[in-house]
Amino acid sequence: MTFEQVKQLKESIKAKMSGLVELCQRTQLPEQESSFNTAKSNLDKQDFDIVVCGEIKQGKSSFINALLGKELLPVADQVATSQVFRISNAPEESFYLVFTDGKRIKLENVDDLKKYGSETVAQQERDPLLIGRQLQWIEVNTPAAFLPPGIHLLDTPGLGALYYSHAEITHRYVDMADAVIFLKCANEPLVDKEISFLKKVFGITPHVLFIQSKSDMYDESVRQQQTARNQEILNQELAQFVEGRKFNFWPLSSANLFQAAQEQDAEMRNFLRKSSGFDALSDALSDLIFQTSGYSIVSSAIEESLRFKERMRSAIENECKLLEATSGEEKQRIQNEMKQKQNAFNAAWGQNGKEYRSLVESISRVISSGEALAKEIFSSRGEIAIHFLRQIDDLPLDNGVIEAFAAELDEELPAAVSNKWRELIFETQNELCVLFGGFRVGLDMNVDSGEIATLVADARSALTKSKKFSTLKNVANGATVGSTLGLIGGIALASVTAGASLLIGPTIGGIWGATAAKKEISTRQAEQNKSRLQRYIATYLQQVSSQYLLPQGVGKNSRIGEIFGSLKKATETAVGEIIKKEKATLEAEYERLREDAQCNVEETKKLLVEKKEFLAQLIRIGEDIQSLKANLNN
């Protein structure tokens, strides 16, 4: 099936879904569920993002350059990618800085991609083009025949803890991914952090392609052994997310593929391409692009339509059975069956129902667990603190190196907190969504919606904000941290929008006072500066912890308590709304049966003709949808 055929199927299924909605309104049947409406609206989507991600130095940018056949994106042996590149197929090459406010600034040449895509944030903040703005991505328009219109590749920074700020950027864009390409070096095992990340990915999209990068750099036996182990890990750890799927890592030498594009000799070009492994990978990549561009959207719309059609069919057939009944006893039996169904639901999902109580208790356990894990983020003995303290311990007694580390810490410490918070919120929400798997097929809940979405977005953004190193000068001079650092909490508690730009404090220059100008710094002074950095980390986490984990007044909850309390409330409210809607649907079906049973002979005949016509229309729409499903699968 071609992209054009999928496009036509989109229009066809959209028309059938509109027909179902119209018929539902005419028959006064229960309204369609939110999942149906979401599937229908998704059919109008025109742009799809395939996010390329993985740990640092896995060859993500080299992979994209090899696909393009030219070196556009900066690669790791130059400077690691620090921004997101969005690559699109275009007849002519052009590059733009795209900002969150919608403004686009054209770049002059390809060298600007390295300049704006690989420099540190601190360097970029001194660039006049970036002052006062937040960069969304760097747009790269270039001839790329393998990318259909509307399909974009996003090259992201690494996931590794070397740069927490880079990982935070990657997570932000994965949250919006339609598909993911995950790269892993041929000789490296998957680690726990990557598994956790992939669990998140499969909670967002089922479309994931695994590539074993740098396959030409290692012995075949080593590569195959590591591939087998990584595939085993994936199949064990991700089975609950992708039932029945077997994972495969596709080996690829981006270097050979890139050289093949430059090679003039046809025989050598074919040899390099074959040795790169791309011929085997090509079909999997094409399938991923195809799935992303609309196949999965059409498939979801078809399945939602068939499910909604069956619900309508069952209700109309029950009415027809009652209208065709020849005796009062038979009519009463049909009504009683509907009443029993209604009573069974109320018994299970009423306020004292077993199923309802069990679900609410499970929600409380998930929330309590999330709140407890949140405390570890800000702990001076937690993962984040230990990571940075160990880095400081490993620093040489060289004040220049220490100062450079402090400049990175300026960005990395708040980013680490933000990234960990993002992961925790996702995992908590995912656990809540999993609870609904056994609730009832067709009853859907989007935890990350409405009020709680705003709250979570604010919290994520807030945790990236601080005055940062505006107080480090005081720390370095041996003073206690005073009112400036205390502003962290005030900023964090302010109402902010998701994705707001970081508040940047003064540069690190001059932080070390008069001694910074001296070329010879004593070992003792360097040790003192390392100690000051360690105290700064502890103080930073303590101050943020006090704002988030301590009650914000007499009789008030902590900010973390408020966030998780709101998440619990939103989830329980969603449960209540789902139950309320289903209860109303069953009551409405019973009421229609009761009213039908009271009709006289003439009214019954007329109503039966009308219901059978509705049923016939519904069956025809269902047959058309089944035909679309068959075409999609051919």
Side-chain angles (χ1 to χ4, degrees):
M1 177 167 288
T2 66
F3 290 105
E4 186 60 34
Q5 288 172 321
V6 171
K7 185 178 179 181
Q8 293 173 0
L9 280 177
K10 280 186 182 181
E11 296 304 316
S12 297
I13 187 60
K14 188 160 57 173
K16 297 305 173 186
M17 295 178 88
S18 296
L20 287 175
V21 172
E22 181 184 357
L23 187 60
C24 178
Q25 293 171 344
R26 288 169 57 197
T27 56
Q28 297 181 329
L29 288 173
E31 294 181 0
Q32 61 276 12
E33 294 156 0
S34 60
S35 56
F36 177 95
N37 294 330
T38 298
K40 188 172 183 291
S41 64
N42 283 343
L43 292 168
D44 294 323
K45 187 172 181 177
Q46 301 297 320
D47 289 285
F48 305 88
D49 290 330
I50 301 177
V51 178
V52 181
C53 57
E55 290 275 358
I56 59 170
K57 298 185 183 298
Q58 300 298 307
K60 298 182 293 296
S61 299
S62 297
F63 164 68
I64 296 177
N65 284 340
L67 290 179
L68 298 173
K70 50 191 167 184
E71 191 168 313
L72 282 180
L73 308 184
V75 294
D77 58 359
Q78 298 168 332
V79 186
T81 301
S82 64
Q83 297 295 336
V84 172
F85 291 92
R86 194 178 196 233
I87 300 94
S88 306
N89 187 11
E92 296 182 357
E93 226 163 53
S94 61
F95 316 115
Y96 293 86
L97 298 178
V98 180
F99 298 92
T100 53
D101 61 3
K103 185 175 180 61
R104 298 167 78 242
I105 297 177
K106 187 172 184 178
L107 300 178
E108 294 300 323
N109 53 57
V110 69
D111 292 337
D112 285 337
L113 296 182
K114 177 182 176 182
K115 175 181 178 182
Y116 291 101
S118 57
E119 291 184 351
T120 65
V121 170
Q123 290 171 309
Q124 289 180 5
E125 283 158 3
R126 295 193 288 270
D127 190 298
L129 292 181
L130 301 178
I131 293 176
R133 298 192 183 105
Q134 184 185 9
L135 193 62
Q136 183 174 7
W137 55 54
I138 301 174
E139 181 180 304
V140 178
N141 301 306
T142 187
F146 67 94
L147 286 177
I151 305 293
H152 313 279
L153 278 183
L154 270 65
D155 183 25
T156 62
L159 293 168
L162 179 61
Y163 291 107
Y164 275 106
S165 56
H166 291 184
E168 201 277 335
I169 292 172
T170 298
H171 278 278
R172 190 191 316 153
Y173 284 88
V174 166
D175 287 348
M176 302 178 288
D178 296 291
V180 165
I181 297 176
F182 184 84
L183 275 73
K184 184 66 181 175
C185 192
N187 73 325
E188 297 179 2
L190 287 166
V191 296
D192 290 343
K193 181 169 290 188
E194 291 171 309
I195 295 299
S196 296
F197 173 76
L198 289 170
K199 288 179 179 180
K200 170 181 178 176
V201 167
F202 278 104
I204 296 168
T205 174
H207 308 307
V208 183
L209 178 65
F210 294 94
I211 294 179
Q212 184 191 63
S213 60
K214 306 181 183 181
S215 62
D216 57 310
M217 297 175 63
Y218 305 98
D219 182 78
E220 179 73 9
S221 60
V222 172
R223 184 180 65 76
Q224 289 184 352
Q225 182 179 9
Q226 192 58 65
T227 297
R229 178 54 184 152
N230 283 340
Q231 289 176 175
E232 181 183 0
I233 292 172
L234 288 176
N235 289 321
Q236 289 176 348
E237 298 291 340
L238 302 178
Q240 69 182 96
F241 296 91
V242 282
E243 185 177 353
R245 174 175 173 178
K246 296 299 180 182
F247 295 98
N248 184 45
F249 268 92
W250 297 92
L252 178 71
S253 166
S254 295
N256 287 354
L257 181 60
F258 184 84
Q259 290 178 31
Q262 317 306 312
E263 182 58 53
Q264 299 299 316
D265 181 75
E267 184 175 351
M268 178 57 71
R269 183 168 59 250
N270 290 336
F271 171 78
L272 287 169
R273 181 183 170 92
K274 184 176 181 179
S275 64
S276 73
F278 184 71
D279 286 344
L281 168 64
S282 180
D283 287 343
L285 179 61
S286 297
D287 184 62
L288 179 77
I289 293 172
F290 182 75
Q291 292 276 349
T292 304
S293 67
Y295 178 92
S296 61
I297 288 177
V298 172
S299 178
S300 175
I302 287 174
E303 293 305 320
E304 286 293 336
S305 298
L306 290 174
R307 191 160 61 83
F308 183 42
K309 183 266 298 182
E310 280 302 301
R311 182 76 186 255
M312 292 175 63
R313 182 193 60 76
S314 176
I316 296 175
E317 283 183 347
N318 280 339
E319 287 192 77
C320 288
K321 287 179 183 178
L322 186 138
L323 293 169
E324 290 175 328
T326 58
S327 67
E329 290 80 5
E330 189 175 358
K331 290 183 179 182
Q332 188 60 51
R333 179 186 61 78
I334 294 172
Q335 292 179 72
N336 289 343
E337 288 178 355
M338 189 65 226
K339 191 64 176 179
Q340 289 171 2
K341 183 178 179 181
Q342 185 179 339
N343 291 338
F345 179 85
N346 291 336
W349 294 102
Q351 289 296 314
N352 295 316
K354 180 180 178 181
E355 299 293 341
Y356 175 77
R357 291 200 311 271
S358 176
L359 182 58
V360 169
E361 289 171 1
S362 296
I363 291 170
S364 295
R365 283 195 297 271
V366 170
I367 294 297
S368 297
S369 175
E371 192 169 353
L373 290 172
K375 296 178 181 179
E376 195 272 343
I377 295 176
F378 310 108
S379 170
S380 60
R381 298 179 181 178
E383 177 184 329
I384 292 174
I386 291 173
H387 169 83
F388 287 110
L389 291 174
R390 283 177 177 172
Q391 285 193 330
I392 294 171
D393 282 338
D394 293 338
L395 291 175
L397 295 176
D398 182 321
N399 201 67
V401 174
I402 297 171
E403 183 174 343
F405 177 84
E408 288 185 357
L409 191 63
D410 182 20
E411 178 184 352
E412 292 301 310
L413 182 55
V417 174
S418 174
N419 202 35
K420 196 68 176 176
W421 171 254
R422 179 188 293 271
E423 291 177 5
L424 175 59
I425 287 296
F426 170 80
E427 290 169 2
T428 303
Q429 290 176 316
N430 186 61
E431 288 185 47
L432 291 172
C433 288
V434 168
L435 294 178
F436 282 73
F439 180 61
R440 185 184 187 280
V441 175
L443 296 183
D444 302 299
M445 182 202 70
N446 182 4
V447 177
D448 197 6
S449 62
E451 178 184 356
I452 192 62
T454 302
L455 180 62
V456 170
D458 285 354
R460 287 173 175 170
S461 182
L463 282 169
T464 67
K465 292 177 172 290
S466 71
K467 282 293 184 182
K468 297 182 178 179
F469 273 73
S470 57
T471 61
L472 190 53
K473 183 174 181 179
N474 292 331
V475 176
N477 290 334
T480 58
V481 177
S483 59
T484 308
L485 187 57
L487 289 175
I488 290 175
I491 295 169
L493 292 175
S495 177
V496 294
T497 57
S501 61
L502 298 176
L503 295 180
I504 304 300
T507 59
I508 199 73
I511 265 179
W512 310 112
T515 60
K518 297 180 181 179
K519 294 184 178 180
E520 295 183 1
I521 305 298
S522 69
T523 298
R524 181 178 178 182
Q525 287 172 322
E527 289 176 341
Q528 288 175 344
N529 286 332
K530 287 177 67 171
S531 297
R532 288 164 184 163
L533 280 177
Q534 291 171 330
R535 290 199 300 273
Y536 176 78
I537 290 172
T539 306
Y540 174 89
L541 292 173
Q542 181 183 4
Q543 289 287 339
V544 179
S545 174
S546 68
Q547 293 294 331
Y548 277 85
L549 297 180
L550 297 180
Q552 299 301 296
V554 179
K556 292 185 177 181
N557 205 346
S558 68
R559 179 61 173 151
I560 290 294
E562 290 175 358
I563 291 171
F564 280 95
S566 295
L567 181 57
K568 179 181 179 183
K569 181 179 178 181
T571 307
E572 292 177 345
T573 298
V575 172
E577 290 300 317
I578 292 169
I579 293 173
K580 181 180 177 181
K581 185 173 181 180
E582 180 66 7
K583 182 178 179 180
T585 296
L586 294 173
E587 288 176 349
E589 288 184 29
Y590 175 76
E591 185 61 24
R592 281 196 302 275
L593 291 177
R594 191 186 66 79
E595 291 176 355
D596 291 346
Q598 295 176 352
C599 292
N600 58 39
V601 175
E602 291 301 317
E603 290 172 335
T604 298
K605 289 180 179 179
K606 181 180 179 181
L607 196 56
L608 182 59
V609 170
E610 182 182 273
K611 296 297 181 182
K612 285 194 171 183
E613 176 56 30
F614 286 150
L615 185 60
Q617 291 180 40
L618 185 62
I619 290 173
R620 286 195 295 270
I621 293 176
E623 289 172 347
D624 290 342
I625 295 173
Q626 286 287 4
S627 178
L628 293 176
K629 183 177 181 179
N631 290 336
L632 184 67
N633 294 331
N634 287 337

